[in-house]
Amino acid sequence: MTKPRFLKHLAILTALSCTQFVTPTARAGDNDVPVVVKIGGIPWFTAMGKGIKEAGKETGLNATMLGPTTADPAQQVRMVEDLVARKVKLIAVVPNDAKALEPVFQRAQEAGIPVITHESPDQQGNTWDIEMIDNKEFGDLYMKELAKHMGEEGEYMVVVGGLTVPLHNAWADAAIAYQKEHYPKMKLAADRFGTGESLDETKRVAQDTILAHPNLKGALVFGS
């Protein structure tokens, strides 16, 4: 399944799962279906937002996307708390921090509100999680491609969107484990870096790591 088709499919699944939803800034309507993502304004979620709107048109629902201005778990938690307080019928979330969301997800469940997550395979407190790929296989493939370009030897670095982001770290874990098993001449140069989904921060981290590790030969980057 292609990325646009998957995002549209995810939006349709979310939309069809509820009959009433609200946004933090407006009173709920019977057809309101917001999805709380990790951060607004980045390419991945811009594409996802298009799928959500398209699915809304197909289902006759007012499907919208909400996201904090930065990849701040606290901002996302507050958005979900607001939805719980408004007694919505379902909450859909792409978590920034799986642990940080557990308490508010628990309150949602106690209030009879199902919680759908995406990109959070081991999430606690949710009702259902939607994943588009085999996450271990994805991490393995990332490492295979990196190893090919590095000649299966040398130092590499790993960057994730955030150290608390569930899926990015699952991919990184799988990639590093695959390297240790199959490419003993390769070495992780430093602990993985979390860059808050920021391209500028990723560039800065990469430059600093190159200076600190002059023998660096490659990088795995998830979520920036």
Side-chain angles (χ1 to χ4, degrees):
M1 183 180 294
T2 64
K3 173 182 170 181
R5 287 181 60 202
F6 168 75
L7 295 176
K8 179 179 174 182
H9 182 60
L10 170 64
I12 291 173
L13 283 172
T14 303
L16 291 177
S17 298
C18 62
T19 58
Q20 184 180 38
F21 225 116
V22 295
T23 69
T25 57
R27 183 175 178 177
D30 289 341
N31 290 328
D32 288 341
V33 184
V35 179
V36 183
V37 299
K38 292 189 293 182
I39 182 173
I42 64 174
W44 176 265
F45 291 117
T46 297
M48 184 172 179
K50 292 178 181 178
I52 289 170
K53 288 183 179 179
E54 190 172 336
K57 292 178 181 178
E58 293 184 5
T59 57
L61 297 171
N62 179 30
T64 58
M65 187 176 72
L66 305 172
T69 55
T70 64
D72 179 3
Q75 287 188 35
Q76 192 178 49
V77 168
R78 286 195 294 271
M79 286 184 168
V80 178
E81 285 176 337
D82 187 83
L83 296 174
V84 173
R86 294 172 185 265
K87 300 179 180 179
V88 300
K89 290 193 175 180
L90 181 140
I91 297 174
V93 185
V94 185
N96 270 316
D97 186 330
K99 287 289 184 183
L101 284 162
E102 284 181 19
V104 69
F105 283 178
Q106 181 62 37
R107 290 196 291 276
Q109 298 286 10
E110 291 171 354
I113 304 171
V115 177
I116 293 178
T117 55
H118 170 48
E119 297 187 8
S120 195
D122 297 318
Q123 181 70 53
Q124 299 296 309
N126 61 338
T127 307
W128 187 32
D129 181 72
I130 301 172
E131 299 298 326
M132 67 176 179
I133 57 175
D134 182 314
N135 293 316
K136 181 183 181 304
E137 182 179 1
F138 185 76
D140 292 351
L141 289 172
Y142 244 74
M143 180 51 67
K144 288 178 183 179
E145 190 68 18
L146 180 67
K148 180 175 72 174
H149 290 284
M150 288 179 58
E152 300 186 6
E153 63 180 8
E155 294 183 338
Y156 68 97
M157 63 182 289
V158 174
V159 177
V160 292
L163 297 178
T164 61
V165 174
L167 202 56
H168 295 175
N169 287 281
W171 292 339
D173 289 344
I176 294 168
Y178 193 89
Q179 174 265 305
K180 290 179 178 179
E181 181 177 357
H182 296 276
Y183 307 116
K185 294 183 179 180
M186 291 177 63
K187 179 183 177 182
L188 184 62
D191 291 339
R192 73 188 68 170
F193 300 94
T195 58
E197 312 275 351
S198 168
L199 181 59
D200 290 339
E201 180 65 9
T202 301
K203 289 179 180 178
R204 185 194 66 77
V205 164
Q207 290 168 350
D208 289 348
T209 307
I210 290 170
L211 291 174
H213 300 272
N215 295 321
L216 193 75
K217 291 181 65 176
L220 289 180
V221 182
F222 303 103
S224 64

